Amino acid sequence: MTRTSTRALTRRAALAATAVTAALVLTACGGDESPAAAPKEHNAQDVSFAQGMIPHHQQALQMAELAAGRASSAQVKDLAARIEKAQDPEITKMTGWLKSWGEDVPSAAPGMDHSGHSAMAGMMDQEDMDKLSKASGKTFDTLFLTLMVEHHEGAVEMAEAEESKGRYRPATELADDVVTAQSAEIEEMNKLLGKNRS
């Protein structure tokens, strides 16, 4: 009887030790995986946001580059320089995400024809881009500001969709930045347009 009791106690202790070990292993695994997996988690909205915002930003850069030689207003030139400085690194960042997710990266060919993207919120069609590239002086300033306000409004709309439906934290944080920065620039451009019209 003593042997049986000893055996039963040994078996119970072994089972208890196994259960504790299993619980610790599961906890450790869960603890290790969660932080590592979280930044990698993305959804279709995150992919759509990056794939849409890259050509959107590329067009804004094309528009901003024109301002250096065609704008007459120092304020328009300054704004264009700030747009380039902000959006160029964002393109690099979003390109990196898409590559890491194994998704297609939109073409970044210089002078690319954006007509395929003109249905996207705020994108200029080729006709608008041609008008802008032929304009200069105050005519350029007014056209640039008018088109860029529309362009920025489209970007804000895309970023707000990412804020509400995106899962990948760096993408939703970038969307927050886009909404904040471009909303402020829209306000600034509308003021400049008011000045130009007077």
Side-chain angles (χ1 to χ4, degrees), residues 45-69:
Q45 169 59 39
D46 298 317
V47 174
S48 171
F49 171 69
Q51 287 178 334
M53 199 57 90
I54 288 171
H56 206 275
H57 272 19
Q58 285 168 342
Q59 188 177 63
L61 291 181
Q62 283 186 317
M63 293 167 74
E65 283 163 16
L66 290 171

Side-chain angles (χ1 to χ4, degrees), residues 10-62:
T10 307
R11 192 177 293 147
R12 276 190 203 141
L15 284 171
T18 305
V20 168
T21 305
L24 287 171
V25 167
L26 287 172
T27 305
C29 285
D32 284 346
E33 279 177 29
S34 298
K40 291 178 186 164
E41 283 178 16
H42 67 279
N43 61 14
Q45 169 59 39
D46 298 317
V47 174
S48 171
F49 171 69
Q51 287 178 334
M53 199 57 90
I54 288 171
H56 206 275
H57 272 19
Q58 285 168 342
Q59 188 177 63
L61 291 181
Q62 283 186 317

Side-chain angles (χ1 to χ4, degrees), residues 49-62 65 83-99 105-109 112 114 151 174 178 182:
F49 171 69
Q51 287 178 334
M53 199 57 90
I54 288 171
H56 206 275
H57 272 19
Q58 285 168 342
Q59 188 177 63
L61 291 181
Q62 283 186 317
E65 283 163 16
I83 288 170
E84 281 189 75
K85 192 177 175 186
Q87 296 194 19
D88 204 24
E90 290 175 353
I91 291 172
T92 305
K93 198 181 282 186
M94 292 183 284
T95 299
W97 298 339
L98 290 171
K99 283 181 180 170
V105 177
S107 164
M112 69 183 271
H114 292 278
H151 202 267
L174 176 64
V178 167
Q182 297 203 20

